[in-house]
Amino acid sequence: QLQASGGGLVQAGGSLRLSCAISKRFFSRYSMGWVRQAPGKEREFVASSSWNGGTADYANSVMGRFTISRDSAKNAVYLQMNSLKLEDTAIYYCVAQRTTRIDWGYWGQGTQVTVSS
């Protein structure tokens, strides 16, 4: 139902765009977001978008650097990541149906983002 892609290896200061392909049923009904997990750390909220794209929420750690967006024509959600830092290295999960920032009803498989110095 949720298929994330776009991860990879990038140097600090660089950019990446993550994509999440979603079933049409999910896209038109649920809030969507991204949660990440770094090695040895707990899962961390990154960003979310309300079901209609009207409201976005960002973790303080990514505010001003990351942007979440939705494309209704493609049933996709994106996370544009700019000015990447070493601490952004993590597995990024596409999620749907927000209860809290870290509690979501549906999880996709993760995509690895590695930021090198």
Side-chain angles (χ1 to χ4, degrees), residues 17-32:
R17 188 177 81 154
L18 304 184
S19 300
C20 181
I22 314 153
S23 67
K24 187 174 183 179
R25 174 174 72 89
F26 272 46
F27 187 89
S28 61
R29 180 179 299 184
Y30 297 133
S31 53
M32 303 294 302

Side-chain angles (χ1 to χ4, degrees), residues 71-97:
D71 187 335
S72 59
K74 297 182 178 180
N75 293 329
V77 172
Y78 305 102
L79 185 68
Q80 178 66 43
M81 306 186 294
N82 299 328
S83 302
L84 282 160
K85 303 177 180 180
L86 296 179
E87 53 264 39
D88 294 319
T89 295
I91 298 173
Y92 284 71
Y93 296 91
C94 178
V95 290
Q97 193 184 45

Side-chain angles (χ1 to χ4, degrees), residues 5-11 15-18 81 84 88-90 92 111-116:
S5 61
L9 175 64
V10 63
Q11 285 192 321
S15 298
L16 276 178
R17 188 177 81 154
L18 304 184
M81 306 186 294
L84 282 160
D88 294 319
T89 295
Y92 284 71
T111 185
Q112 176 71 49
V113 172
T114 303
V115 183
S116 64

Side-chain angles (χ1 to χ4, degrees), residues 27-82:
F27 187 89
S28 61
R29 180 179 299 184
Y30 297 133
S31 53
M32 303 294 302
W34 296 89
V35 173
R36 68 186 181 187
Q37 187 167 23
K41 295 188 177 181
E42 295 186 352
R43 287 178 175 175
E44 176 190 20
F45 169 77
V46 177
S48 67
S49 172
S50 58
W51 70 273
N52 62 356
T55 304
D57 184 24
Y58 295 94
N60 288 340
S61 58
V62 307
M63 186 83 70
R65 300 188 298 121
F66 291 10
T67 303
I68 189 170
S69 61
R70 302 168 69 112
D71 187 335
S72 59
K74 297 182 178 180
N75 293 329
V77 172
Y78 305 102
L79 185 68
Q80 178 66 43
M81 306 186 294
N82 299 328

